[in-house]
Amino acid sequence: HYAYWYGGEIVSLAGRVIWSFDRNKHVMPLHELQRKIRQNIYYQPSFVFYGVDSGINKDATAVSPWALYPDGILIKLSTFYLNIAEERKRYGLKGISHTDQVEWIMDEYKKFRAKYAEYGITIPDSSRERWCFDGAALTQDLMLEFEKATYFSTKAVTDKDIERDIARLVNSYRSGFLYILGVPENEISVEEMENFVRDENNEIPDGQSDHTIDADKYATYEYYYNFM
């Protein structure tokens, strides 16, 4: 990657985009996190960043809750995933409105908090949460609807750079700062990480599923550039 981007050499980057991610290293079993809590009752999230990537007619809407822990690592606790294309086929819908998506997000959020309380993981109150939405106009409309309904703290991520944002995820996994909790809700995230690839021309082809990856970019952007 250094040779290609900085040295101008003709090399192939074909393969996984987030190439440093390794399921065996970066998926943390739930029982391991619970063991850490048993050893130290204060090993709980101090803040949670929710990255939000949205669609309305075709693309999925994904929400990635990333929890900041006392040792400085971020753990992706869950994934809220609304496959809009499948919902349209199932129910004959033309799309899913932002109002309906806000209701869906809040339903998922309430279930998330209740389930993780059962796991022994304490999700902070809304004063220690931040919802980080894609800066694109479509998602900004969703953010405004969300703000009106919840009064939660929201941020628009407008300073996007594809390669810089990819590099942030690559370097953070490689450095051991990011982990994904091994729960069923996160399997869609792991699958996207393992199947999002560059082609032989070093391009990222359109049509690949990367909604949870985009949501991860927004959450980690807010942490690395505006929070630390």
Side-chain angles (χ1 to χ4, degrees):
H1 281 258
Y2 183 88
Y4 180 80
W5 293 114
Y6 298 100
E9 298 180 28
I10 301 174
V11 295
S12 174
L13 304 180
R16 290 194 298 124
V17 175
I18 315 298
W19 53 267
S20 61
F21 175 79
D22 182 334
R23 179 189 289 256
N24 295 321
K25 291 181 181 178
H26 299 115
V27 175
M28 179 184 292
L30 176 60
H31 65 79
E32 181 177 335
L33 181 55
Q34 290 173 321
R35 178 183 59 80
K36 289 175 179 285
I37 296 169
R38 288 194 298 272
Q39 292 176 342
N40 178 2
I41 61 172
Y42 298 108
Y43 194 77
Q44 295 286 354
S46 60
F47 208 93
V48 179
F49 302 88
Y50 297 80
V52 184
D53 185 57
S54 76
I56 193 164
N57 294 319
K58 181 180 178 182
D59 288 341
T61 291
V63 180
S64 297
W66 283 90
L68 175 62
Y69 275 81
D71 52 3
I73 68 170
L74 289 170
I75 301 176
K76 184 173 186 173
L77 295 179
S78 186
T79 304
F80 312 165
Y81 194 84
L82 180 62
N83 190 323
I84 292 177
E86 285 189 3
E87 293 294 306
R88 289 180 63 196
K89 290 178 183 177
R90 185 178 305 163
Y91 299 109
L93 303 172
K94 292 183 179 179
I96 300 179
S97 71
H98 288 139
T99 301
D100 288 339
Q101 289 195 42
V102 168
E103 185 175 340
W104 169 78
I105 291 173
M106 290 310 298
D107 284 344
E108 293 297 303
Y109 175 72
K110 291 172 185 175
K111 289 187 288 187
F112 163 68
R113 294 186 70 96
K115 178 179 288 187
Y116 280 72
E118 293 176 2
Y119 290 157
I121 299 169
T122 304
I123 307 301
D125 63 34
S126 59
S127 68
R128 289 182 290 151
E129 295 181 322
R130 192 163 297 159
W131 293 75
C132 315
F133 288 75
D134 179 9
L138 177 67
T139 312
Q140 288 303 285
D141 290 342
L142 175 62
M143 186 179 82
L144 292 174
E145 290 284 341
F146 185 80
E147 284 179 347
K148 287 191 295 183
T150 66
Y151 297 100
F152 287 174
S153 174
T154 63
K155 290 292 291 289
V157 180
T158 55
D159 181 23
K160 297 186 294 183
D161 181 288
I162 292 174
E163 294 305 332
R164 180 203 61 200
D165 295 340
I166 287 171
R168 183 171 64 255
L169 293 182
V170 167
N171 292 333
S172 296
Y173 278 111
R174 185 173 60 176
S175 301
F177 289 130
L178 300 184
Y179 294 88
I180 297 177
L181 193 63
V183 293
E185 295 84 2
N186 278 336
E187 187 57 33
I188 182 66
S189 292
V190 175
E191 289 176 0
E192 285 193 354
M193 297 289 285
E194 293 180 332
N195 292 286
F196 187 54
V197 299
R198 297 181 192 272
D199 63 19
E200 62 278 5
N201 297 315
N202 292 342
E203 301 292 338
I204 300 174
D206 291 336
Q208 296 186 89
S209 180
D210 64 342
H211 306 295
T212 70
I213 294 173
D214 282 345
D216 295 345
K217 291 176 185 177
Y218 308 142
T220 57
Y221 179 96
E222 180 63 19
Y223 171 64
Y224 280 95
Y225 302 133
N226 294 328
F227 186 85
M228 288 181 69

